[in-house]
Amino acid sequence: MTTVRISRTALTRGTLAALSGLLAGFASLAFAELVSAAVRPEASPVTAVGGAAIDRTPAGVKDWAIRTFGEDDKLVLQLGIVATLALLALAVGLLALRHRRTGAAAVLLFGVVGTAAAVSRPDSTGLVDGLPSLLGAVVGAVLLYVLIGRLTVPHRTAGQDEQREQDNGQGNEQGNEQASEAGWDRRGFLVAATAAAAASTAAGAIGRTLNGRSSRDAVASRASVKLPAPASPAKPTPAGARLRIPGISPFTTPNDTFYRVDTALVVPKVDANSWRLRIHGKGVRQDLELTYQDLLNRPLIEREITLTCVSNEVGGPYVGHARWIGVRLADLLKEAGVKPPSRGGPADQIVARSVDGMTLGTPVEDVMDGRDAMLAVGMNGEPLPFVHGFPVRMLVPGLYGYVSACKWIEDIELTTFDAYDPYWVKRDWARKAPIKTQSRIDTPKPFGRPEAGTVMVAGVAWAQHRGIEKVEIRVDEGPWRPALLAEQDTVDTWRQWSYPWQATPGGHTLTVRATDRTGEVQTERRTKTVPDGASGWHSVVVTVD
């Protein structure tokens, strides 16, 4: 039987080689962060690679990520990228111990991948966006080469070889280890590794600080905004529109809990003082370029509008209501000479572009049919939060957000659906996406255990730009019963409802459906969110004690 012995020296060198790879990866990211401060924060490798991964992820996978991780999907992606890079770095370190130049070349290869990802992003400013990844990789490759050099056994002298043979002949294991350990520079490695870790930490900290400073002007510009009084204020919300039932969604969703679904790994922070919006394209008589102050100087409208994300599953959380203030988009288009297709206009699609490269396509006809489509500057009485599109976002009542609610908008192009497919359409979502009639049970919660007696079942229903006419509840397989409706604010808002259920002990299934003001009853047919929004009835199962 053969016994395989691995010396402590070999284990130590292997561990330190893996650590060298990890340090090289850390140095690459840290110095890339520092370089990105001179380029732009979005060019840092993790952000660039993460954005490229999002761009290339199939729609079904994105939908799964949103369902599974909710608004933490971007954090999970970033952590996954860092964890993957760490594992690869460990492997590259071990590779470099045997093939020093190959290991260093592998680090450079990662830099090339990061560079390619950065320059391929829709908002890329060109090859300069690849500099952080490339220069960071060069630093990492050099560091790995140096550290592995401290671990490499040099050529022994004849005297050393003779001593080693003598030790082997005597079976002196301690002598073996001492001879092996004498072949690499332990102290030099520790000094180099410690210095590299310290320098990388400092570089990363400086980079993050500088990138943070680049957003301070944007933060200051938002803080200085004083929204003018709207020329067309929203009508007072009817007192009966807000039900006071524990567990029901509030009629107005606070800004800090309003849902967020987008592809931006780094929330763009745009300085309102330097922001510009361009309106151009087919049927535009004269291009318009507007500043933020230009918009504030125009007559503003204030409206209550409920927004819904196309990724919202039946009964899901991605729907919210707010009071918005902004400039009527149809007025700007008319000023530019735009006519809807029904009046002979050559463009049937508006392509809205965000500062992060996102593109959304909206039917011109819907924007100009009299609904309160707007370029919003305020949300619930304050300037837009950065996560919701400051300084300006677009929204169109009655359409899912992916075809209407462009955040951080900077460009509006008039074109046709035949000529251009925006971001989500290229990923198998529908070109046109009116919001489907939907309803949701907010209380009792799924698998709740209410007590027998009167249990208040309550929730919300929405059919933006059509309004809700009726909501019905069914217990188990019983008949449909009409729910009590709160007052309808406008056809663009959701509607709260309630139903006093006389609950009996045992397990029960509660199901809700809504009917909009066109007479369309919410369909029972279950569909996925792709390509144009989920459908089906929402149900909850409870056990009555």
Side-chain angles (χ1 to χ4, degrees):
M1 182 176 179
T2 302
T3 301
V4 178
R5 293 184 179 181
I6 302 176
S7 70
R8 286 179 296 174
T9 299
L11 288 174
T12 300
R13 290 176 66 235
T15 301
L16 294 180
L19 177 61
S20 299
L22 200 59
L23 279 173
F26 176 53
S28 295
L29 294 180
F31 279 90
E33 183 76 16
L34 180 60
V35 176
S36 73
V39 179
R40 61 193 192 105
E42 294 80 6
S44 66
V46 173
T47 301
V49 171
I54 291 174
D55 291 344
R56 289 161 177 77
T57 300
V61 177
K62 290 180 183 177
D63 201 46
W64 171 85
I66 292 172
R67 290 197 313 271
T68 305
F69 303 112
E71 295 184 21
D72 293 328
D73 58 339
K74 300 171 188 63
L75 175 61
V76 170
L77 174 61
Q78 290 175 307
L79 292 176
I81 291 172
V82 172
T84 301
L85 289 176
L87 292 175
L88 290 173
L90 291 170
V92 167
L94 292 172
L95 171 66
L97 186 59
R98 291 181 174 273
H99 306 284
R100 187 178 175 192
R101 292 180 180 177
T102 302
V107 177
L108 291 175
L109 180 60
F110 291 138
V112 172
V113 171
T115 299
V119 300
S120 70
R121 297 286 293 129
D123 61 334
S124 173
T125 58
L127 292 176
V128 69
D129 273 7
L131 287 178
S133 293
L134 193 58
L135 295 179
V138 170
V139 171
V142 171
L143 176 60
L144 181 62
Y145 193 83
V146 170
L147 291 178
I148 294 299
R150 297 292 186 270
L151 298 178
T152 303
V153 179
H155 205 61
R156 288 181 172 81
T157 65
Q160 288 175 318
D161 288 339
E162 183 179 342
Q163 179 63 47
R164 185 182 182 188
E165 289 177 5
Q166 182 180 350
D167 290 337
N168 285 339
Q170 295 174 351
N172 188 340
E173 184 175 342
Q174 183 178 1
N176 268 334
E177 292 181 0
Q178 289 174 347
S180 297
E181 290 182 8
W184 60 280
D185 186 1
R186 179 188 298 274
R187 177 173 296 181
F189 176 87
L190 293 176
V191 170
T194 301
S200 300
T201 301
I206 294 172
R208 286 191 296 273
T209 300
L210 292 176
N211 278 327
R213 286 179 180 175
S214 68
S215 66
R216 289 183 184 176
D217 288 344
V219 174
S221 71
R222 182 179 182 273
S224 67
V225 172
K226 296 187 182 301
L227 295 175
S232 175
K235 295 179 180 179
T237 301
R242 304 174 185 271
L243 299 182
R244 299 184 180 277
I245 297 174
I248 196 172
S249 299
F251 181 76
T252 299
T253 309
N255 290 356
D256 59 353
T257 59
F258 204 97
Y259 75 90
R260 177 201 169 196
V261 178
D262 53 55
T263 64
L265 285 180
V266 176
V267 174
K269 291 189 176 179
V270 182
D271 186 347
N273 297 314
S274 61
W275 176 87
R276 298 291 184 273
L277 173 70
R278 182 186 176 210
I279 300 177
H280 61 104
K282 285 181 175 291
V284 174
R285 183 178 59 248
Q286 182 177 1
D287 290 7
L288 292 182
E289 183 171 284
L290 301 164
T291 67
Y292 185 71
Q293 193 59 48
D294 288 337
L295 291 183
L296 296 186
N297 291 340
R298 288 172 175 266
L300 302 179
I301 62 172
E302 182 184 53
R303 296 291 184 267
E304 300 274 355
I305 300 173
T306 298
L307 300 186
T308 310
C309 179
V310 73
S311 294
N312 196 47
E313 293 279 349
V314 172
Y318 302 128
V319 56
H321 177 81
R323 175 169 288 198
W324 307 88
I325 183 170
V327 175
R328 194 184 298 274
L329 182 53
D331 291 347
L332 291 175
L333 297 180
K334 290 175 184 176
E335 184 177 325
V338 176
K339 294 181 180 179
S342 60
R343 296 188 181 181
D348 60 6
Q349 179 180 212
I350 291 172
V351 174
R353 289 183 172 84
S354 167
V355 299
D356 71 341
M358 174 57 64
T359 55
L360 278 67
T362 311
V364 175
E365 199 70 50
D366 289 350
V367 170
M368 303 187 75
D369 68 358
R371 71 185 74 193
D372 292 316
M374 70 170 77
L375 294 179
V377 296
M379 179 181 184
N380 288 332
E382 65 177 75
L384 290 172
F386 285 109
V387 295
H388 294 301
F390 182 85
V392 181
R393 71 175 294 168
M394 177 176 152
L395 57 89
V396 182
L399 302 181
Y400 283 117
Y402 83 99
V403 299
S404 66
C406 184
K407 301 175 184 176
W408 316 293
I409 189 171
E410 67 172 2
D411 186 273
I412 291 176
E413 179 183 3
L414 278 297
T415 183
T416 65
F417 285 104
D418 289 338
Y420 185 82
D421 286 339
Y423 184 93
W424 290 110
V425 175
K426 292 177 181 176
R427 290 156 177 81
D428 301 325
W429 297 84
R431 289 182 173 180
K432 300 180 181 180
I435 293 173
K436 297 178 180 180
T437 301
Q438 286 285 298
S439 54
R440 184 180 72 198
I441 297 172
D442 288 338
T443 183
K445 298 295 183 185
F447 309 111
R449 301 187 69 91
E451 295 183 358
T454 301
V455 174
M456 192 61 73
V457 183
V460 290
W462 59 92
Q464 290 93 313
H465 207 57
R466 300 184 302 279
I468 293 295
E469 182 66 29
K470 181 171 61 175
V471 173
E472 297 170 290
I473 288 292
R474 184 176 68 184
V475 180
D476 300 323
E477 296 300 321
W480 289 102
R481 304 289 187 184
L484 304 174
L485 289 176
E487 285 193 57
Q488 178 84 64
D489 186 359
T490 74
V491 295
D492 292 333
T493 68
W494 60 7
R495 197 168 185 180
Q496 295 177 324
W497 57 267
S498 63
Y499 177 77
W501 171 40
Q502 299 305 311
T504 57
H508 298 282
T509 300
L510 306 174
T511 306
V512 63
R513 72 179 183 186
T515 302
D516 65 32
R517 287 190 171 181
T518 70
E520 180 181 350
V521 181
Q522 179 181 344
T523 179
E524 179 184 10
R525 180 173 174 266
R526 279 270 181 169
T527 63
K528 297 181 179 180
T529 57
V530 181
D532 60 356
S535 67
W537 296 339
H538 184 218
S539 298
V540 298
V541 176
V542 299
T543 300
V544 179
D545 294 329

